[in-house]
Amino acid sequence: MNAMIFAAGLGTRLKPYTDHCPKAMVEVAGKPMIAHQLLKLRDAGFQHVVINVHHFAEQIIDYVNANGSFGLDVTFSDERGQLLDTGGGIRKALPLFDTGSPVLIHNVDIFSNADLAELYDIHVADGAEASLLVSRRETSRYLIFDDKDNLVGWKNIKTGEVRTSHNELQQVLECLVEDDETYRLRAFSGIHVISPTLFPLLRESDEVFSITNFYWQNSLNRHIRCVEASAGFRWVDAGKPETLAKAAEIVGRLE
């Protein structure tokens, strides 16, 4: 099974930790973030992992290599020349994957008790082109799904801004502030699975772009759906100093 870890970010929110190291090398519960993610992927049955790198890239590469790639087949997608955002990062990494299999995407700073193998299996069984793990977590920016779990748009609750390729729904989604009978607001976890059928569209995209934007822009004609996290789902974005302790707590519960 293929997976990709987004580890190329500048880690601006984690300063001063990232003044001299990449976000992926910031420690959580005594190990760099990248170690936790690789071990979780390995334990879930993934074999081939691509890691994109940019900020202090050599530190990540040297650490992973020094630890025998944690028993995985790891390759690096080098973005030191230009940071490509999430969609551009996947686009650049496409030649490094087995293009006949879906790819699970995971942000390096996301810690959760999500069952990654289960998410991958659900994606394959459903036949979706992209499966986005979501939850009812409170946030300012939500993805919007219909009653058949299909993505229809994105909304910033604070500003009221709506983005959708379903033009006839623009007004309906602008008025949506909570779930109704047809549409649901859900928080994206930063964990998703993408199928090879979307790779040609990714190749045709700009060099630098957001994968979230790519998903809603193509949701009208492609099967892009949500997988809602089960009860007891624990999740934290460890991209800020004040959330590192919460990430360590999740790690402790999983060990």
Side-chain angles (χ1 to χ4, degrees), residues 50-109:
V50 173
I51 304 170
N52 69 340
V53 292
H54 173 82
H55 185 57
F56 293 115
E58 66 285 348
Q59 292 186 29
I60 302 172
I61 295 169
D62 291 347
Y63 175 76
V64 172
N65 287 339
N67 284 275
S69 299
F70 295 87
L72 293 160
D73 173 23
V74 175
T75 54
F76 298 94
S77 182
D78 195 336
E79 296 183 23
R80 278 176 283 195
Q82 182 183 14
L83 195 57
L84 301 175
D85 204 341
T86 50
I90 298 172
R91 178 181 180 273
K92 180 178 174 64
L94 289 178
L96 303 176
F97 295 119
D98 166 11
T99 55
S101 302
V103 181
L104 182 136
I105 312 292
H106 201 298
N107 292 1
V108 75
D109 55 359

Coordinates of all heavy atoms in Angstrom, one line a residue, residues 50-109:
V50 N 6.2 7.9 0.6 CA 6.9 9.1 0.0 C 6.8 10.2 1.1 O 5.7 10.5 1.6 CB 6.3 9.5 -1.3 CG1 6.9 10.8 -1.8 CG2 6.5 8.4 -2.4
I51 N 7.9 10.9 1.3 CA 7.9 12.0 2.2 C 8.3 13.2 1.4 O 9.4 13.2 0.8 CB 8.9 11.8 3.4 CG1 8.5 10.5 4.2 CG2 8.8 13.0 4.3 CD1 9.6 10.1 5.2
N52 N 7.5 14.3 1.4 CA 8.0 15.5 0.7 C 8.8 16.4 1.7 O 8.4 16.4 2.9 CB 6.9 16.3 0.0 CG 5.9 16.9 0.9 OD1 5.8 16.6 2.1 ND2 5.1 17.9 0.4
V53 N 9.8 17.0 1.2 CA 10.7 17.7 2.1 C 11.1 19.1 1.5 O 11.2 19.2 0.3 CB 12.0 16.9 2.4 CG1 11.8 15.7 3.2 CG2 12.7 16.5 1.1
H54 N 11.3 20.1 2.4 CA 11.7 21.4 1.9 C 12.6 22.1 3.0 O 13.7 22.3 2.8 CB 10.5 22.2 1.6 CG 10.7 23.7 1.3 ND1 11.1 24.1 0.0 CD2 10.7 24.8 2.0 CE1 11.3 25.4 0.0 NE2 11.0 25.9 1.3
H55 N 11.9 22.5 4.1 CA 12.6 23.2 5.2 C 13.5 22.3 5.9 O 13.1 21.2 6.5 CB 11.5 23.7 6.1 CG 12.0 24.6 7.2 ND1 12.7 25.7 7.0 CD2 11.8 24.5 8.6 CE1 13.0 26.3 8.2 NE2 12.4 25.6 9.1
F56 N 14.8 22.6 6.0 CA 15.8 21.7 6.6 C 15.7 20.3 6.2 O 15.7 19.3 7.0 CB 15.8 21.8 8.1 CG 16.2 23.1 8.7 CD1 15.2 23.9 9.3 CD2 17.5 23.6 8.6 CE1 15.6 25.2 9.9 CE2 17.8 24.8 9.1 CZ 16.9 25.6 9.8
A57 N 15.5 20.1 4.9 CA 15.2 18.8 4.3 C 16.2 17.7 4.7 O 15.8 16.5 5.0 CB 15.1 18.9 2.8
E58 N 17.5 18.1 4.7 CA 18.5 17.1 5.0 C 18.4 16.5 6.3 O 18.8 15.3 6.5 CB 19.9 17.7 4.8 CG 20.3 18.8 5.8 CD 19.6 20.1 5.5 OE1 19.0 20.3 4.5 OE2 19.7 21.0 6.4
Q59 N 17.8 17.2 7.3 CA 17.7 16.6 8.6 C 16.7 15.4 8.6 O 16.9 14.4 9.3 CB 17.2 17.7 9.6 CG 18.2 18.8 9.9 CD 17.8 19.7 11.0 OE1 17.0 19.3 11.9 NE2 18.3 20.9 10.9
I60 N 15.6 15.6 7.9 CA 14.6 14.5 7.8 C 15.2 13.3 7.0 O 15.1 12.2 7.5 CB 13.3 15.0 7.0 CG1 12.7 16.2 7.8 CG2 12.3 13.9 6.9 CD1 11.6 16.9 7.0
I61 N 15.8 13.6 5.9 CA 16.4 12.5 5.1 C 17.5 11.8 5.9 O 17.5 10.5 5.9 CB 17.1 13.1 3.8 CG1 16.0 13.7 2.9 CG2 17.8 12.0 3.0 CD1 16.5 14.6 1.8
D62 N 18.4 12.5 6.6 CA 19.4 11.8 7.3 C 18.8 11.0 8.5 O 19.3 9.8 8.7 CB 20.4 12.8 7.9 CG 21.3 13.5 6.8 OD1 21.3 13.0 5.7 OD2 21.9 14.5 7.1
Y63 N 17.8 11.5 9.1 CA 17.2 10.8 10.3 C 16.5 9.5 9.8 O 16.7 8.4 10.4 CB 16.2 11.7 11.0 CG 15.5 11.0 12.1 CD1 16.1 10.8 13.3 CD2 14.2 10.6 11.9 CE1 15.4 10.1 14.4 CE2 13.5 10.0 12.9 CZ 14.1 9.7 14.2 OH 13.4 9.1 15.1
V64 N 15.7 9.6 8.8 CA 15.0 8.4 8.3 C 16.0 7.4 7.8 O 15.9 6.2 8.1 CB 14.0 8.8 7.2 CG1 13.4 7.6 6.5 CG2 12.9 9.7 7.7
N65 N 17.0 7.8 7.1 CA 18.0 6.8 6.6 C 18.8 6.2 7.7 O 19.1 5.0 7.7 CB 18.9 7.5 5.6 CG 18.3 7.8 4.3 OD1 17.3 7.2 3.9 ND2 18.8 8.8 3.5
A66 N 19.1 7.0 8.7 CA 19.9 6.5 9.8 C 19.1 5.4 10.7 O 19.7 4.6 11.4 CB 20.3 7.6 10.8
N67 N 17.8 5.5 10.5 CA 16.9 4.5 11.2 C 16.4 3.4 10.3 O 15.3 2.8 10.6 CB 15.8 5.3 11.9 CG 16.3 6.0 13.2 OD1 16.3 5.4 14.3 ND2 16.6 7.3 13.0
G68 N 17.1 3.2 9.3 CA 16.7 2.1 8.4 C 15.3 2.2 7.8 O 14.7 1.2 7.4
S69 N 14.9 3.5 7.6 CA 13.6 3.8 7.0 C 12.5 3.2 7.8 O 11.4 3.0 7.3 CB 13.5 3.4 5.6 OG 14.5 4.1 4.8
F70 N 12.8 2.8 9.1 CA 11.8 2.2 10.0 C 11.1 0.9 9.4 O 9.9 0.7 9.6 CB 10.7 3.2 10.4 CG 11.3 4.3 11.2 CD1 11.8 5.5 10.6 CD2 11.3 4.3 12.6 CE1 12.4 6.5 11.3 CE2 11.9 5.3 13.3 CZ 12.4 6.4 12.7
G71 N 11.9 0.2 8.6 CA 11.4 -1.0 8.0 C 10.5 -0.8 6.8 O 9.9 -1.8 6.3
L72 N 10.5 0.4 6.2 CA 9.6 0.7 5.1 C 10.4 1.1 3.9 O 11.6 1.3 4.0 CB 8.7 1.9 5.4 CG 7.7 1.7 6.5 CD1 7.3 3.1 7.1 CD2 6.5 1.0 6.0
D73 N 9.8 1.0 2.7 CA 10.4 1.5 1.5 C 10.1 3.0 1.4 O 9.0 3.3 1.1 CB 9.9 0.7 0.3 CG 10.3 1.3 -1.0 OD1 11.4 1.9 -1.0 OD2 9.6 1.1 -2.0
V74 N 11.0 3.8 1.8 CA 10.8 5.3 1.8 C 11.6 6.0 0.7 O 12.7 5.7 0.5 CB 11.2 5.9 3.2 CG1 11.1 7.4 3.2 CG2 10.4 5.3 4.3
T75 N 10.9 6.9 0.0 CA 11.5 7.7 -1.0 C 11.1 9.2 -0.6 O 10.1 9.4 0.1 CB 11.1 7.4 -2.4 OG1 9.6 7.5 -2.5 CG2 11.6 6.0 -2.8
F76 N 11.9 10.1 -1.1 CA 11.8 11.5 -0.8 C 11.4 12.3 -2.0 O 12.1 12.1 -3.1 CB 13.0 12.1 -0.1 CG 13.3 11.4 1.2 CD1 14.2 10.4 1.3 CD2 12.7 11.8 2.4 CE1 14.5 9.7 2.5 CE2 13.0 11.2 3.6 CZ 13.9 10.2 3.6
S77 N 10.4 13.2 -1.9 CA 10.1 14.1 -3.0 C 10.7 15.4 -2.6 O 10.2 16.1 -1.6 CB 8.5 14.2 -3.1 OG 8.2 15.0 -4.2
D78 N 11.7 15.9 -3.3 CA 12.5 17.0 -3.0 C 11.8 18.3 -3.5 O 11.8 18.6 -4.7 CB 13.9 16.9 -3.5 CG 14.9 17.8 -2.9 OD1 14.4 18.9 -2.4 OD2 16.1 17.5 -2.9
E79 N 11.4 19.1 -2.5 CA 10.8 20.4 -2.9 C 11.7 21.6 -2.4 O 11.2 22.7 -2.2 CB 9.4 20.6 -2.3 CG 8.4 19.6 -2.8 CD 7.0 19.8 -2.2 OE1 6.7 20.9 -1.8 OE2 6.2 18.8 -2.2
R80 N 13.0 21.3 -2.2 CA 13.8 22.4 -1.8 C 13.9 23.5 -2.8 O 14.1 24.7 -2.4 CB 15.2 21.8 -1.5 CG 15.3 21.2 -0.1 CD 16.7 20.5 0.1 NE 16.8 19.2 -0.6 CZ 17.8 18.4 -0.3 NH1 18.7 18.6 0.6 NH2 17.8 17.2 -1.0
G81 N 13.7 23.3 -4.0 CA 13.7 24.4 -5.0 C 12.5 25.3 -4.9 O 12.6 26.5 -5.2
Q82 N 11.3 24.7 -4.5 CA 10.1 25.5 -4.4 C 9.1 24.7 -3.6 O 8.8 23.5 -3.8 CB 9.5 25.7 -5.8 CG 8.2 26.6 -5.8 CD 7.6 26.8 -7.2 OE1 8.0 26.1 -8.1 NE2 6.7 27.7 -7.3
L83 N 8.5 25.4 -2.7 CA 7.4 24.8 -1.9 C 6.1 24.8 -2.7 O 5.7 25.8 -3.2 CB 7.2 25.6 -0.6 CG 6.4 24.9 0.6 CD1 7.1 23.6 1.0 CD2 6.4 25.9 1.8
L84 N 5.5 23.6 -2.8 CA 4.4 23.4 -3.8 C 3.0 23.3 -3.2 O 2.1 23.1 -4.0 CB 4.7 22.1 -4.6 CG 6.1 22.1 -5.3 CD1 6.3 20.7 -6.0 CD2 6.1 23.2 -6.4
D85 N 2.8 23.5 -1.9 CA 1.5 23.4 -1.3 C 1.1 21.9 -1.4 O 1.8 21.1 -1.9 CB 0.5 24.3 -2.0 CG -0.7 24.7 -1.0 OD1 -0.9 24.0 0.0 OD2 -1.3 25.7 -1.3
T86 N 0.0 21.6 -0.8 CA -0.4 20.2 -0.7 C -0.7 19.5 -2.0 O -0.3 18.4 -2.3 CB -1.6 20.1 0.3 OG1 -2.7 21.0 -0.2 CG2 -1.3 20.4 1.7
G87 N -1.5 20.2 -2.9 CA -1.8 19.6 -4.1 C -0.6 19.5 -5.0 O -0.4 18.4 -5.7
G88 N 0.2 20.5 -5.1 CA 1.4 20.5 -5.9 C 2.4 19.5 -5.4 O 3.1 18.8 -6.2
G89 N 2.4 19.2 -4.1 CA 3.3 18.2 -3.5 C 2.9 16.8 -4.0 O 3.7 16.0 -4.3
I90 N 1.6 16.5 -4.0 CA 1.1 15.2 -4.5 C 1.5 15.1 -6.0 O 1.9 14.1 -6.4 CB -0.4 15.0 -4.2 CG1 -0.7 15.1 -2.7 CG2 -0.9 13.7 -4.9 CD1 -2.2 15.1 -2.4
R91 N 1.2 16.1 -6.7 CA 1.4 16.1 -8.2 C 2.9 15.8 -8.5 O 3.2 15.0 -9.3 CB 1.1 17.5 -8.7 CG 1.3 17.7 -10.2 CD 0.9 19.1 -10.7 NE 1.2 19.3 -12.1 CZ 2.3 19.8 -12.6 NH1 3.4 20.0 -11.8 NH2 2.4 20.0 -13.9
K92 N 3.8 16.4 -7.7 CA 5.2 16.2 -8.0 C 5.6 14.8 -7.6 O 6.5 14.2 -8.2 CB 6.1 17.2 -7.2 CG 7.6 17.0 -7.4 CD 8.4 18.1 -6.6 CE 9.9 17.8 -6.6 NZ 10.4 17.9 -8.0
A93 N 5.0 14.2 -6.6 CA 5.3 12.9 -6.1 C 4.8 11.7 -6.9 O 5.2 10.6 -6.7 CB 4.9 12.7 -4.6
L94 N 3.8 12.0 -7.8 CA 3.2 10.9 -8.5 C 4.1 9.9 -9.2 O 3.8 8.7 -9.1 CB 2.2 11.5 -9.6 CG 1.0 12.3 -9.1 CD1 0.2 12.8 -10.2 CD2 0.1 11.3 -8.3
P95 N 5.2 10.3 -9.8 CA 6.1 9.3 -10.4 C 6.7 8.4 -9.4 O 7.2 7.3 -9.8 CB 7.2 10.2 -11.1 CG 6.5 11.5 -11.3 CD 5.7 11.7 -10.1
L96 N 6.6 8.7 -8.1 CA 7.3 7.9 -7.1 C 6.4 6.8 -6.5 O 6.8 5.9 -5.8 CB 7.8 8.8 -5.9 CG 8.7 9.9 -6.3 CD1 9.0 10.8 -5.1 CD2 10.0 9.4 -6.9
F97 N 5.1 6.8 -6.9 CA 4.1 5.8 -6.5 C 3.9 4.7 -7.4 O 4.2 4.8 -8.6 CB 2.8 6.5 -6.2 CG 2.8 7.5 -5.1 CD1 2.5 8.8 -5.4 CD2 3.1 7.2 -3.8 CE1 2.5 9.8 -4.4 CE2 3.1 8.1 -2.8 CZ 2.8 9.4 -3.1
D98 N 3.4 3.6 -6.9 CA 2.8 2.6 -7.8 C 1.5 3.1 -8.2 O 0.5 3.2 -7.5 CB 2.6 1.3 -6.9 CG 1.7 0.3 -7.7 OD1 1.4 0.5 -8.9 OD2 1.3 -0.7 -7.0
T99 N 1.5 3.6 -9.5 CA 0.3 4.3 -9.9 C -1.0 3.5 -10.1 O -2.0 4.0 -10.5 CB 0.6 5.1 -11.3 OG1 1.1 4.1 -12.2 CG2 1.7 6.1 -11.0
G100 N -0.9 2.2 -9.8 CA -2.0 1.3 -9.9 C -2.8 1.2 -8.6 O -3.8 0.6 -8.5
S101 N -2.3 1.9 -7.6 CA -2.9 1.7 -6.2 C -3.2 3.1 -5.6 O -2.5 4.1 -5.9 CB -1.9 1.0 -5.3 OG -1.6 -0.3 -5.8
P102 N -4.2 3.2 -4.8 CA -4.5 4.4 -4.1 C -3.4 4.8 -3.2 O -2.6 4.0 -2.8 CB -5.8 4.1 -3.3 CG -6.4 2.9 -4.0 CD -5.2 2.1 -4.5
V103 N -3.4 6.1 -2.8 CA -2.4 6.7 -1.9 C -3.0 7.3 -0.7 O -3.9 8.1 -0.9 CB -1.5 7.7 -2.6 CG1 -0.4 8.2 -1.7 CG2 -0.9 7.2 -3.9
L104 N -2.6 6.9 0.5 CA -3.1 7.5 1.7 C -2.2 8.7 2.0 O -1.0 8.6 2.0 CB -3.1 6.5 2.9 CG -3.6 7.2 4.2 CD1 -4.6 6.2 4.9 CD2 -2.5 7.6 5.2
I105 N -2.8 9.9 2.2 CA -2.1 11.1 2.5 C -2.2 11.5 4.0 O -3.4 11.4 4.5 CB -2.6 12.3 1.6 CG1 -2.7 11.8 0.1 CG2 -1.7 13.5 1.8 CD1 -1.4 11.6 -0.6
H106 N -1.1 11.8 4.6 CA -1.2 12.1 6.0 C -0.2 13.3 6.4 O 0.9 13.3 6.0 CB -0.7 10.9 6.8 CG -1.1 10.8 8.3 ND1 -0.8 11.8 9.2 CD2 -1.9 9.9 8.9 CE1 -1.3 11.5 10.4 NE2 -2.0 10.3 10.2
N107 N -0.8 14.3 7.0 CA 0.0 15.5 7.4 C 1.0 15.0 8.6 O 0.5 14.3 9.5 CB -0.8 16.6 7.9 CG -1.6 17.3 6.8 OD1 -1.5 16.9 5.7 ND2 -2.4 18.3 7.2
V108 N 2.2 15.5 8.6 CA 3.2 15.0 9.6 C 2.8 15.5 11.0 O 3.1 14.8 12.0 CB 4.6 15.5 9.2 CG1 4.8 17.0 9.5 CG2 5.6 14.7 10.0
D109 N 2.1 16.6 11.1 CA 1.7 17.1 12.4 C 0.3 16.7 12.9 O -0.1 17.2 13.9 CB 1.9 18.6 12.4 CG 1.1 19.3 11.3 OD1 0.4 18.6 10.6 OD2 1.1 20.6 11.3

